[in-house]
Amino acid sequence: MSPENPHLRFLLFLAVAAVAGGGAAAGTTLTASLSGDQIKIRWTGLPAPDGLDYVGIYSPPSSRDRDFLGYLFLNGSASWRSGSGELSLPRLPTLRAPYQFRLFRWPANEYSYHHVDHDQNPLPHGKHRVAVSADVSVGDPARPEQVHLAFADGIDEMRVMFLCGDRGKRVVRYGLQKEDEKEWKEVDTDVSTYEQKHMCDWPANSSVAWRDPGFVFDGLMKGLEPGRKYFYKVGSDTGGWSEIYSFISRDSEASETNAFLFGDMGTYVPYNTYIRTQDESLSTVKWILRDIEALGDKPAFISHIGDISYARGYSWVWDHFFSQIEPIAASTPYHVCIGNHEYDWPSQPWKPWWATYGKDGGGECGIPYSVKFRMPGNSILPTGNGGPDTRNLYYSFDSGVVHFVYMSTETNFVQGSDQYNFLKADLEKVNRSRTPFVVFQGHRPMYTSSDETRDAALKQQMLQNLEPLLVTYKVTLALWGHVHRYERFCPMKNFQCVNTSSSFQYSGAPVHLVIGMGGQDWQPIWQPRPDHPDVPIFPQPERSMYRGGEFGYTRLVATREKLTLTYVGNHDGQVHDMVEIFSGLVSSNSSVAVAVHDTKLGTEVSTVRKISPLYLEIGGSVLFALLLGFSFGFLIRRKKEAAQWTPVKNEES
């Protein structure tokens, strides 16, 4: 047949149009399969491969080509230039539907900056589909997943929440003996969800970002014996059960408190997507898991003070987040407070003229955060759009010898507000004989030396309305996130230090720390010098005792006598900074009251001892021996510390 035949030309045109319009190219194959904990993606027969060719990731399989979850460039495979190759992904979260993978061409002349991701990189446009894989199921949607614990209002209670693909009946079973499930107790669960129409803005309410969120189950384990190790599982006989997890119950008489605290951690997502995700969050979880395992059967909890997943409206990022934290959150209570990236949207109910609340929440208006977590207390605000109420705003609890308070910097906190009244009443009634230390937490910082000028007016309102409470009621530590760095200030009020040591007895004002270094990597630089604004030298004010750009978390250990907070870096899992605060109290088996003051890390400890006149003569006769023993022990300790402690310089990155 002659190539000039008009029928042949028409058939060739249809074939080319089919490929360009999304049909599969003849000879090109794409397969995907789950192999252990990895998804293997393979392709063959791709003609004239190009560096912009990519595989799009979809769920559910009915998604339009432009509504991808993410993508991987084929050039991530060593053999991509041959037209064949292989890519792998870790097992992805179950999104209540199978995954599908699609291979696309992306011609260089269609590389456009009109459709960009969070970092202003061009996004694929979902055109020129070449091949499609079969559907890949990564798990049974009916089985429980994303398991996480939290303290409840009762000291003998523990809350567990988890996710399933349907709202059928699920229960929680728990007991003290792992092998004797017949003796375990069983409790029912409440179930809740939310819908696309409840999202208040773009992108959360768009087809690009919305996915079925599943159903959240909430069970309350009651009647727990204090300080005991319990085993539990969640699910049902028909839908399937989770694995068996364990936790240590709360003990109101515990003489020690352990906690891991940070802000702004975010989520690792193993593919390119619309928003920046946080690779460092994996290291934060890894090192905290190490520390939890080292505690053995000591109780502890985790505190994540705002900017939780950084989903920003892309709903499946929440699934990645909860899958990521499950190794620590299924065994250790995971507590949160709300941040701007969970809540803020232009028409939120409270938006004073001086606030900078914008679109940081990605249109979620706090709803996923409020449904997926449930903290103690009952702080609730209506969203104003018919969706589930916003909750988990402000609350408190005792853990061992420390009273912990959480606030919301995103909702009304000024004098006369419900939140202010709660905070004042809560701090007034702290029992210092039982909890000599108080730790106050919120998202946006009251103090920071970072160049966050847009929050200046809000910080002024916090200083005016909240700082008097912190000083009056003798708060020990004030912890903040939002700034993605670590910074420790002196104990201070109204920008004035009352002490500049790193080891001291409580001196009348809280130590402020910014601990937003959990994983998010974007951050404005430190404040520049006023006389040289273009020179990258950022002075550290005298009130700032230590600051660094290292990702990580803080670790709190407290007894009745002393609270110690250490800053652990992710690159080595070692301590980079430390502050210790003495309560002035003594343990029940001590006959001598010790006050420690003006002591810096690695320097000699100064003590003041109160000795009864009745024993003055005895005390005088043994004083020399005590001092000799103390000096000898100190020299040994200094030698040991010299071998273990490497000072870390201030990191001005």
Side-chain angles (χ1 to χ4, degrees):
M1 183 180 293
S2 168
E4 298 301 320
N5 188 310
H7 297 290
L8 178 59
R9 288 199 301 270
F10 180 70
L11 291 173
L12 289 172
F13 170 79
L14 289 179
V16 173
V19 173
T28 301
T29 62
L30 180 69
T31 63
S33 61
L34 181 65
S35 176
D37 287 332
Q38 287 196 322
I39 298 174
K40 299 291 186 181
I41 305 165
R42 299 180 177 92
W43 67 95
T44 60
L46 181 65
D50 183 81
L52 292 179
D53 297 336
Y54 68 94
V55 169
I57 304 164
Y58 295 84
S59 182
S62 59
S63 301
R64 297 177 299 179
D65 282 347
R66 67 183 185 184
D67 292 344
F68 52 82
L69 303 176
Y71 60 96
L72 297 170
F73 287 111
L74 301 192
N75 61 20
S77 170
S79 61
W80 72 275
R81 294 183 185 276
S82 70
S84 301
E86 177 180 302
L87 297 171
S88 62
L89 286 168
R91 180 192 288 264
L92 299 175
T94 304
L95 299 184
R96 282 68 63 193
Y99 285 86
Q100 187 184 83
F101 300 87
R102 305 173 191 172
L103 195 156
F104 292 88
R105 314 305 299 260
W106 191 3
N109 62 357
E110 296 180 12
Y111 194 72
S112 171
Y113 284 90
H114 295 294
H115 182 44
V116 296
D117 65 15
H118 187 232
D119 290 318
Q120 304 304 306
N121 298 310
L123 282 166
H125 44 45
K127 300 178 182 178
H128 313 307
R129 174 156 44 95
V130 175
V132 180
S133 77
D135 295 352
V136 178
S137 295
V138 296
D140 182 356
R143 293 181 68 88
E145 57 184 6
Q146 304 181 24
V147 180
H148 56 286
L149 299 172
F151 293 141
D153 292 322
I155 193 72
D156 64 342
E157 299 173 337
M158 184 71 75
R159 184 177 304 283
V160 58
M161 303 182 77
F162 56 95
L163 193 78
C164 294
D166 64 83
R167 66 181 316 138
K169 179 180 173 64
R170 305 300 199 284
V171 299
V172 182
R173 292 179 179 170
Y174 61 101
L176 289 167
Q177 302 299 323
K178 184 177 182 180
E179 295 78 15
D180 193 9
E181 291 190 35
K182 292 184 296 183
E183 299 299 319
W184 286 13
K185 296 180 181 179
E186 180 176 299
V187 294
D188 291 334
T189 58
D190 296 326
V191 60
S192 58
T193 189
Y194 52 93
E195 302 176 30
Q196 186 174 0
K197 67 181 181 181
H198 296 144
M199 301 294 98
C200 55
D201 207 341
W202 188 91
N205 58 8
S206 71
S207 63
V208 172
W210 173 260
R211 296 296 186 278
D212 171 20
F215 294 87
V216 178
F217 291 81
D218 178 356
L220 192 61
M221 294 176 274
K222 300 180 179 181
L224 305 177
E225 298 177 21
R228 298 291 302 276
K229 186 172 187 176
Y230 279 84
F231 299 90
Y232 75 98
K233 65 180 182 180
V234 298
S236 68
D237 290 335
T238 55
W241 293 93
S242 70
E243 64 178 273
I244 294 177
Y245 302 99
S246 66
F247 65 89
I248 307 298
S249 60
R250 269 204 291 178
D251 183 358
S252 61
E253 302 300 321
S255 59
E256 182 177 298
T257 300
N258 291 277
F260 306 95
L261 313 100
F262 54 87
D264 306 73
M265 184 173 75
T267 311
Y268 166 71
V269 174
Y271 47 76
N272 305 303
T273 188
Y274 304 90
I275 54 175
R276 181 189 299 122
T277 59
Q278 295 73 41
D279 294 2
E280 273 291 333
S281 61
L282 286 178
S283 294
T284 303
V285 171
K286 178 188 74 172
W287 291 118
I288 291 176
L289 179 60
R290 173 203 64 175
D291 289 349
I292 289 173
E293 291 173 344
L295 286 174
D297 288 343
K298 290 184 178 181
F301 76 94
I302 298 161
S303 185
H304 186 164
I305 55 172
D307 286 4
I308 308 300
S309 72
Y310 282 97
R312 296 187 181 96
Y314 294 91
S315 62
W316 64 88
V317 176
W318 281 107
D319 293 279
H320 280 276
F321 173 79
F322 280 105
S323 297
Q324 179 175 309
I325 68 166
E326 187 178 89
I328 56 176
S331 62
T332 308
Y334 198 101
H335 281 259
V336 293
C337 68
I338 200 165
N340 53 302
H341 284 290
E342 284 74 60
Y343 186 69
D344 293 3
W345 85 98
S347 58
Q348 65 189 77
W350 186 68
K351 192 174 183 180
W353 65 267
W354 43 262
T356 54
Y357 305 135
K359 297 184 177 181
D360 293 342
E364 292 182 352
C365 45
I367 289 175
Y369 165 86
S370 299
V371 173
K372 293 174 180 291
F373 291 106
R374 186 171 178 184
M375 298 294 104
N378 192 35
S379 56
I380 291 176
L381 283 177
T383 57
N385 66 350
D389 291 334
T390 306
R391 64 185 186 188
N392 310 320
L393 298 173
Y394 46 88
Y395 60 96
S396 68
F397 58 81
D398 291 343
S399 179
V401 297
V402 183
H403 183 69
F404 292 89
V405 185
Y406 292 77
M407 73 159 293
S408 164
T409 58
E410 311 309 299
T411 56
N412 194 350
F413 57 78
V414 301
Q415 293 185 39
S417 67
D418 289 344
Q419 178 171 202
Y420 178 89
N421 293 338
F422 167 84
L423 296 173
K424 184 175 185 294
D426 183 82
L427 291 170
E428 281 178 345
K429 65 183 181 184
V430 173
N431 182 351
R432 291 293 182 147
S433 64
R434 187 157 62 90
T435 55
F437 300 104
V438 176
V439 175
F440 189 94
Q441 299 166 90
H443 182 60
R444 301 191 196 224
M446 186 179 295
Y447 288 101
T448 174
S449 64
S450 177
D451 191 19
E452 276 280 5
T453 55
R454 70 171 188 156
D455 280 343
L458 186 143
K459 285 187 286 188
Q460 184 59 40
Q461 292 293 326
M462 294 175 68
L463 287 165
Q464 178 180 328
N465 290 276
L466 299 178
E467 187 175 47
L469 294 180
L470 306 188
V471 174
T472 299
Y473 297 108
K474 297 180 172 57
V475 168
T476 314
L477 295 176
L479 306 180
W480 314 101
H482 195 57
V483 175
H484 308 142
R485 298 180 185 271
Y486 172 86
E487 184 166 26
R488 174 172 60 86
F489 291 91
C490 61
M492 64 178 171
K493 49 188 174 182
N494 194 26
F495 292 91
Q496 299 299 312
C497 292
V498 298
N499 191 309
T500 57
S501 172
S502 60
S503 180
F504 56 91
Q505 184 170 324
Y506 177 79
S507 50
V511 174
H512 289 260
L513 295 101
V514 176
I515 58 170
M517 68 296 183
Q520 173 62 294
D521 61 351
W522 180 86
Q523 183 55 49
I525 57 178
W526 302 115
Q527 291 177 352
R529 293 186 297 174
D531 53 340
H532 295 284
D534 299 327
V535 178
I537 299 175
F538 314 116
Q540 187 169 3
E542 291 185 2
R543 62 182 176 272
S544 175
M545 299 291 99
Y546 185 98
R547 64 185 188 184
E550 172 82 9
F551 294 107
Y553 58 98
T554 60
R555 185 170 57 207
L556 182 149
V557 180
T559 63
R560 283 177 51 80
E561 297 81 27
K562 181 176 71 172
L563 181 151
T564 303
L565 189 80
T566 53
Y567 162 38
V568 181
N570 275 357
H571 84 277
D572 57 5
Q574 300 300 310
V575 172
H576 288 236
D577 183 44
M578 181 174 75
V579 61
E580 53 185 12
I581 303 171
F582 293 81
S583 66
L585 301 177
V586 294
S587 61
S588 58
N589 61 356
S590 174
S591 59
V592 180
V594 180
V596 181
H597 58 85
D598 292 336
T599 306
K600 294 187 177 182
L601 189 64
T603 62
E604 186 170 351
V605 177
S606 171
T607 64
V608 176
R609 300 178 182 270
K610 295 182 179 179
I611 305 175
S612 169
L614 181 63
Y615 298 103
L616 186 59
E617 184 177 349
I618 298 174
S621 67
V622 300
L623 180 60
F624 177 75
L626 287 172
L627 291 174
L628 181 62
F630 174 81
S631 300
F632 181 68
F634 172 73
L635 290 173
I636 293 175
R637 180 173 65 86
R638 283 297 301 270
K639 183 176 181 180
K640 182 178 179 182
E641 286 181 351
Q644 294 180 343
W645 181 269
T646 302
V648 179
K649 67 179 182 180
N650 180 23
E651 301 169 48
E652 292 284 345
S653 58

